[in-house]
Amino acid sequence: CTMPSYAPVPYFVGPIVLPVLPVTGEPLDIFKDWLFVGLALSRRTCLSFVFAAIAMGILLGSNIHMRHQYPKDLAWMLTPVKQLCLAQRKESFLARNTAPVKLAMALTEDLPQACVQSLFVAIYGGSRTQVLFIALSCMKILACVVLRAMVLENEDRYGEAFEAKEFYYRVQYYILSAFLPDNPWTLQSQSKLA
């Protein structure tokens, strides 16, 4: 059986390479987190066992949350080549990496894991690059909140872009009202929600 000449051929380089890159690849990130659990267990102290238990709890809790809230998106992240072949709509790199599932992953798994690992490094010593993992998690969260609407508008997905803008303004308002309740910026962000 041959493909017709007019059939679009999927571009497989991205889905094969991106999952193994440190920032964009969830399988590599999950592998790194389980390696941390092993490292904590190898220290054989009560405190290191607590770190391992917390890290496992974060991984399991995040897994349960992601499976219930984002099952299709989770399948896309873990089996990208298969999902590319089945995809109905082509999404850009930025659209996939600012999707709500990436924000949920960064908030429920990446940032808590980076904080636990950094605390472990501060107590037991080790690589100072853990601060980089916290910074990357914060940058993922910021990119998902700030860039999502712009990326969707660029792809002519205006309904989703409107929802992303509303989410951005809501987050902006809550942060400003918590830290600067009487500031004009807070009132301005509240008026954008109305």
Side-chain angles (χ1 to χ4, degrees):
C1 181
T2 61
M3 286 181 70
S5 61
Y6 58 85
V9 177
Y11 183 67
F12 289 111
V13 174
I16 291 172
V17 173
L18 290 177
V20 295
L21 295 178
V23 176
T24 60
E26 293 306 323
L28 184 66
D29 185 51
I30 292 169
F31 177 69
K32 175 190 69 77
D33 294 336
W34 281 108
L35 278 177
F36 170 72
V37 171
L39 175 68
L41 290 173
S42 72
R43 291 293 180 150
R44 298 179 188 244
T45 66
C46 290
L47 187 58
S48 68
F49 290 146
V50 170
F51 276 111
I54 291 171
M56 285 176 32
I58 291 169
L59 284 169
L60 295 175
S62 174
N63 187 342
I64 291 168
H65 172 73
M66 297 302 289
R67 282 177 182 253
H68 288 320
Q69 298 296 321
Y70 304 98
K72 290 180 182 176
D73 297 313
L74 191 60
W76 174 269
M77 288 190 306
L78 296 177
T79 57
V81 174
K82 176 182 174 188
Q83 298 303 322
L84 181 67
C85 293
L86 301 174
Q88 300 294 322
R89 171 179 57 188
K90 181 153 175 68
E91 281 190 319
S92 70
F93 173 77
L94 279 176
R96 277 195 311 274
N97 283 295
T98 59
V101 67
K102 289 289 190 171
L103 177 62
M105 184 70 79
L107 287 172
T108 63
E109 194 252 316
D110 292 344
L111 187 60
Q113 282 288 7
C115 292
V116 168
Q117 292 169 6
S118 296
L119 188 57
F120 181 86
V121 166
I123 293 171
Y124 289 101
S127 174
R128 302 282 183 234
T129 58
Q130 284 305 125
V131 177
L132 176 66
F133 290 128
I134 291 177
L136 287 174
S137 297
C138 291
M139 287 181 356
K140 276 185 192 179
I141 293 167
L142 190 64
C144 288
V145 173
V146 174
L147 295 178
R148 180 77 176 153
M150 182 183 66
V151 169
L152 292 173
E153 280 181 356
N154 193 34
E155 293 186 0
D156 298 331
R157 295 165 58 187
Y158 297 109
E160 293 173 88
F162 178 78
E163 291 174 4
K165 272 187 184 176
E166 189 229 345
F167 178 73
Y168 168 72
Y169 291 139
R170 192 170 305 284
V171 168
Q172 181 185 38
Y173 172 70
Y174 286 133
I175 291 172
L176 287 173
S177 64
F179 295 106
L180 303 168
D182 297 327
N183 194 299
W185 291 345
T186 308
L187 295 174
Q188 185 181 18
S189 66
Q190 185 179 22
S191 68
K192 289 181 181 177
L193 276 173

